[in-house]
Amino acid sequence: MEGDATHGGHRQDNKYCAYCTTPDGKLKSKAQVREGMIKYMMKSEKKSEDEARQMVDDHMSRMPAWKGK
């Protein structure tokens, strides 16, 4: 992440990104983040829902907040 705007709560010391956190920098639930990422992949990357879900689940399994979960 680069710059305050990409960090949760717009704080460099927050290890989570702005998309995975609430405006005050607290981590959103895994379900909230997952659904947001799926919608993004379907709209921006033109993926089917099944493709998006598979890609998001794979990606989230490597993210610090949900690694191995």
Side-chain angles (χ1 to χ4, degrees), residues 17-39:
C17 76
Y19 302 106
C20 293
T21 58
T22 61
D24 65 350
K26 293 184 177 144
L27 188 64
K28 293 178 184 176
S29 73
K30 183 177 180 179
Q32 286 177 300
V33 174
R34 182 177 182 262
E35 287 306 309
M37 289 176 73
I38 289 168
K39 288 178 185 176

Side-chain angles (χ1 to χ4, degrees), residues 1-2 6 8-9 11 20-22 25-26 28 32-34 36-38 41 45-46 51-52 58 63 65-67 69:
M1 293 181 287
E2 303 211 6
T6 59
R11 295 188 333 263
C20 293
T21 58
T22 61
K26 293 184 177 144
K28 293 178 184 176
Q32 286 177 300
V33 174
R34 182 177 182 262
M37 289 176 73
I38 289 168
M41 295 298 289
E45 303 294 322
K46 308 292 187 224
E51 288 175 310
D58 180 58
M63 293 174 74
W66 302 286
K67 189 175 185 174
K69 295 179 183 175

Side-chain angles (χ1 to χ4, degrees), residues 2 8 12-14 16 19 30 34 42 51 54 61 68:
E2 303 211 6
Q12 285 278 346
D13 65 334
N14 193 325
Y16 303 118
Y19 302 106
K30 183 177 180 179
R34 182 177 182 262
M42 290 172 63
E51 288 175 310
Q54 185 174 355
S61 72

